[in-house]
């Protein structure tokens, strides 16, 4: 059952398997041994092997699962890159299709990180002893939804998401523990607030079906968009993924912490009736909230900079507006129109957590950048991030400046009142390379994995 898979699947088995592969296989420039039963044609081979008990090769599938968690994550970012290309070309149905699959791959990565292998309609997990177990037989989309529900309901497993992300020297988990509330009884509320709601993921699947199997042109107004606003949202997305110092996603991680602390702060008794409603409407609310954060920060013993405190008490920025839509529906049945931002926000949260999980497993397995250079060198060359004769030493220093330059170019042009971006043709004055750079969110895992 999905509940058993979430409860008993072992992340330790995944990290120890990766560590073993690093010592025996990665130096041969390959993720998996040539003889791994599931390296190729895994679905067909699993179908054959699972017809009789005890035939599935546990070692080979464990190796496949540990590695696939990394590659599902990069594929998720690649699907999102295709979505951005579709958005820039005003192809909203295709963007919806690719965003949904970025969500799906992020979840498959997250579950693989935890020791759960999603394989068409046959699925397995590995317990702490390394033993293999099958789970309920369902299709990929349905089993992912079922496991997500169990994952959110399991406070121990879902709390790992907060342990993997750090603000300064403290994890998000440390911050919530310092409030005195802990995480156990509020974790599902947090995840639902960030859009990791089984109902929203299921609705995104239904939306994908609509754009996949129904002609788009019959209802063209359904897929209308404000093109300039569309570009602004792409820029907001990039800002949320901007690395700084030890943080791979500075503004996104601050948002998660801010919303978590605000939820706890808003639940504290205040006023005569103890409901805290009075405090929320008080002009001093932000000041009170800032003092609350400072008190927690003192408990943690690692003071934040004033700029960081300001990030935690700002609620009206464009990136806040972007992420606040994560628990909204993409389709408005009243207007019969789609809004991409709720799906994009959900995909970003899912990919953030999946990326953090991969980062954690790589560190626990003591896998360095050089251990997997056979992969990332080819990855960057294939997608045009660099020339094969100009391999970067530092991903952030070499990749982010190009993104920053294009963002600033577009913002400067947008600030000129006589210039409007009404459709894809309005971008014709940009070099193709510049526009392509804006779509390359599949660069993000290179620094997101901590390489």
């Amino acid at each position: 059952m999905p509940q058993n898979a979430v409860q008993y699947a072992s992340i330790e088995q995944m990290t120890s398997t990766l560590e073993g592969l690093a010592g025996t296989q990665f130096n041969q420039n390959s993720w998996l041994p040539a003889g791994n039963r599931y390296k190729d044609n895994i679905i067909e081979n699993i179908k054959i092997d699972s017809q009789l008990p005890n035939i599935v090769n546990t070692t080979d599938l464990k190796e496949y699962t540990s590695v696939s968690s990394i590659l599902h994550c990069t594929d998720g970012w690649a699907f999102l890159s295709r979505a951005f290309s579709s958005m820039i070309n005003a192809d909203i149905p295709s963007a919806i299709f690719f965003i949904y699959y970025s969500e799906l791959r992020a979840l498959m990565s997250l579950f693989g990180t935890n020791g759960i292998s999603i394989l068409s309609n046959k699925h397995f997990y590995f317990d702490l002893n390394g033993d293999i177990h099958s789970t309920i037989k369902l299709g990929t989309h349905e089993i992912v939804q079922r496991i997500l529900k169990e994952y959110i309901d399991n406070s121990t497993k879902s709390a790992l998401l907060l342990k993997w992300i750090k603000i300064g020297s403290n994890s998000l988990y440390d911050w919530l523990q310092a409030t005195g509330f802990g995480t156990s009884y509020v974790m599902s509320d947090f995840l639902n607030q960030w859009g990791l709601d089984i109902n929203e993921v299921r609705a995104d699947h239904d939306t994908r079906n609509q754009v996949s199997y129904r002609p788009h042109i019959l209802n063209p107004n359904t897929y209308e968009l404000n093109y300039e606003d569309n570009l602004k949202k792409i820029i907001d997305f990039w800002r949320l993924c901007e690395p700084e110092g030890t943080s791979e996603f500075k503004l996104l991680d601050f948002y998660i912490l801010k919303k978590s602390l605000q939820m706890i702060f808003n639940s504290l008794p205040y006023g005569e009736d103890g409901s805290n409603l009075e405090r929320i409407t008080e002009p001093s609310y932000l000041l009170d909230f800032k003092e609350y954060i400072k008190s927690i920060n003192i408990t943690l013993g690692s003071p934040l900079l004033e700029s960081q405190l300001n990030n935690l008490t700002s609620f009206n920025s464009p990136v806040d507006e972007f992420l606040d839509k994560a628990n909204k529906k993409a389709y408005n049945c009243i207007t019969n129109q789609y809004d991409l931002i709720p799906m994009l926000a959900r995909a970003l949260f899912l990919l953030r957590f999946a990326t953090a999980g991969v980062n954690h497993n790589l560190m626990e397995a003591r896998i360095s950048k050089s251990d997997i250079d056979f992969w990332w060198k080819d990855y960057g060359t294939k997608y045009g991030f660099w020339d094969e004769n100009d391999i970067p030493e530092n991903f952030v220093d070499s990749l982010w400046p190009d993104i920053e330059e294009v963002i600033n170019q577009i913002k400067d042009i947008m600030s000129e009142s006589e210039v409007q971006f009404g459709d894809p043709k309005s971008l014709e004055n940009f070099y193709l390379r510049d526009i392509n750079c804006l779509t390359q969110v599949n660069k993000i895992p290179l620094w997101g994995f901590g390489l």
Side-chain angles (χ1 to χ4, degrees), residues 26-86:
F26 295 169
N27 58 4
Q28 299 182 43
N29 298 333
S30 177
W31 285 110
L32 293 172
N36 185 291
R37 169 74 170 157
Y38 307 116
K39 184 177 182 180
D40 300 305
N41 301 319
I42 182 170
I43 300 303
E44 184 62 28
N45 288 337
I46 281 291
K47 181 180 179 181
I48 294 170
D49 293 353
S50 58
Q51 289 176 351
L52 296 172
N54 303 319
I55 296 298
V56 173
N57 189 310
T58 300
T59 299
D60 285 3
L61 187 57
K62 195 187 305 179
E63 289 178 344
Y64 172 89
T65 304
S66 67
V67 165
S68 71
S69 66
I70 302 170
L71 303 181
H72 277 313
C73 188
T74 57
D75 288 347
W77 286 106
F79 273 117
L80 204 59
S81 175
R82 295 288 300 276
F84 275 34
S85 295
S86 300

Side-chain angles (χ1 to χ4, degrees), residues 139-178:
T140 300
H141 304 276
E142 188 174 356
I143 191 67
V144 164
Q145 293 170 14
R146 292 278 294 272
I147 292 177
L148 175 61
K149 180 183 184 304
E150 296 299 337
Y151 196 87
I152 291 173
D153 291 343
N154 188 310
S155 59
T156 301
K157 288 299 179 75
S158 57
L160 290 174
L161 304 178
L162 302 181
K163 292 181 178 180
W164 293 338
I165 297 176
K166 288 191 173 184
I167 301 291
S169 58
N170 295 295
S171 69
L172 296 179
Y173 181 86
D174 295 331
W175 273 89
L176 296 188
Q177 289 294 101

